[in-house]
Amino acid sequence: MSLRDLLSRYIPISLKRIVRKKRAQNEVKNLYSLERTECNVENLNSSKGIHLDKIFKSRKTEELWKSLYEQTRDFHLPGDTGGVNHGDRRAIFYTVCFFEPENVLEIGTHIGASTIHISNALFYTRVLNGKNAKLTTVDMRDVNSGVEKPWRRYGAKFSPERMIRELGHQKFVNFKADKSLNFMNETNESFDFIFLDGSHNASNVYQEIPAALQLLNPEGNILLHDYYPDNKPLWKDRKPVYGPYRAVERLKKEGANFKVVPLGELPWETKNGTTITSLALMFRGTD
Ligand SMILES: C[S@@+](CC[C@H](N)C(=O)[O-])C[C@H]1O[C@@H](n2cnc3c(N)ncnc32)[C@H](O)[C@@H]1O
């Protein structure tokens, strides 16, 4: 048991509540201490003609997913140690297969649970068909450090880079150790699909969304993780992650012309015996 778990066990619930409340107050205070940021939604996809059912009920993608099941299972990626859960991995794979983006940016590599499913989707929908594809995955930590081997701390057997090599995707997947905002402000590239799963702190997300919008190619898509509508729990006995919703609410209050559509319930299990996901797609327009 880690020191953190040990402390958590012996700290009274009342004290934990006070700490949580103070943290929430600070998060809101920090969020509103930032200067207002404009959102340029010009290149964000609109939801017209996009039916989420179409994404998740695709027979073709289902066959592909099943054919890859053993290969990805053999990586023994853990659940519940910070990587996206098994159901969300599948949803991310289906979403990328649906939009078939050429250039993808992922913020928050961690153990690579989402990375390998994005790269698999790109490989089977584009690379195998002779089309260009590229995935850049950014994390503020060196997730592939051979010295620290951070993936081991989270129960993963292989580094994200090693899994990408085993899949033979190293030619089109790049790892960057950088803070999201540094990377997004400095890159000269533009992207067709951006997955935001880095810092879940409201202040960071408040800055990441406008930065991501600025990097989109026309009809580009942004997928959020840990979006809790109205900041209500999605799973029994599990606290919401408040930051992404708080950031989105501030941007919307300031007139940002986008909506966030939660993917809601998926046709397969996600976590805690449910089919609920915290993934959400952003679309241009508020209707
Ligand atoms: C929830 S984990 C991402 C999970 C990952 N998508 C997966 O499925 O394995 C969040 C990651 O974002 C990284 N992170 C946090 N804040 C960041 C920032 N400001 N810039 C870049 N990465 C950040 C953390 O180091 C962590 O590895």
Side-chain angles (χ1 to χ4, degrees), residues 147-165:
V147 180
E148 290 174 24
K149 300 187 178 13
W151 61 92
R152 287 196 180 161
R153 260 203 315 276
Y154 303 102
K157 209 167 164 191
F158 307 108
S159 71
E161 199 167 45
R162 164 92 186 267
M163 292 189 289
I164 288 296
R165 248 186 297 122

Side-chain angles (χ1 to χ4, degrees), residues 82-84 108-114 139-141 178 180 197-199:
V84 296
T109 318
H110 190 52
I111 54 170
S114 44
D139 202 293
M140 62 194 283
R141 293 177 299 123
D178 201 352
S180 56
D197 189 23
S199 164

Side-chain angles (χ1 to χ4, degrees), residues 31 35-44 181 196 202-216 222 224 244 246-260 282-286:
L31 170 63
E35 260 180 49
R36 178 184 171 156
T37 318
E38 290 295 327
C39 282
N40 174 5
V41 299
E42 198 182 11
N43 285 348
L44 185 64
L181 293 169
L196 291 182
S203 303
N204 261 295
V205 184
Y206 178 76
Q207 297 170 86
E208 281 177 355
I209 289 177
L213 286 166
Q214 211 55 45
L215 294 180
L216 277 186
I222 298 180
L224 305 177
R246 281 187 180 134
V248 164
E249 283 308 285
R250 176 169 174 197
L251 290 166
K252 289 210 295 200
K253 261 189 223 144
E254 290 169 347
N257 186 28
F258 66 72
K259 61 182 173 186
V260 176
M282 286 180 59
F283 291 111
R284 177 162 37 90
T286 49

Side-chain angles (χ1 to χ4, degrees), residues 170-206:
Q170 64 278 12
K171 278 206 177 128
F172 68 94
V173 180
N174 297 305
F175 292 92
K176 300 268 183 210
D178 201 352
K179 284 198 171 170
S180 56
L181 293 169
N182 282 348
F183 176 83
M184 290 199 270
N185 291 329
E186 279 168 20
T187 183
N188 294 320
E189 285 190 70
S190 52
F191 300 90
D192 306 297
F193 189 100
I194 299 178
F195 177 46
L196 291 182
D197 189 23
S199 164
H200 294 83
N201 183 283
S203 303
N204 261 295
V205 184
Y206 178 76

Side-chain angles (χ1 to χ4, degrees), residues 255-273:
N257 186 28
F258 66 72
K259 61 182 173 186
V260 176
V261 178
L263 301 191
E265 299 224 20
L266 298 170
W268 46 77
E269 196 175 322
T270 51
K271 72 174 185 186
N272 288 15

Side-chain angles (χ1 to χ4, degrees), residues 45-95:
N45 212 351
S46 90
S47 59
K48 271 194 197 118
I50 296 175
H51 301 285
L52 295 183
D53 262 11
K54 256 198 198 161
I55 303 181
F56 301 116
K57 291 195 174 147
S58 158
R59 277 286 179 84
K60 205 170 138 206
T61 311
E62 184 180 357
E63 274 168 30
L64 197 50
W65 174 259
K66 286 187 175 155
S67 73
L68 297 171
Y69 180 75
E70 280 183 24
Q71 169 213 50
T72 45
R73 186 201 55 192
D74 287 348
F75 289 132
H76 303 284
L77 275 164
D80 233 5
T81 64
V84 296
N85 68 59
H86 186 77
D88 284 357
R89 293 170 202 169
R90 185 168 178 176
I92 292 167
F93 176 81
Y94 277 57
T95 309

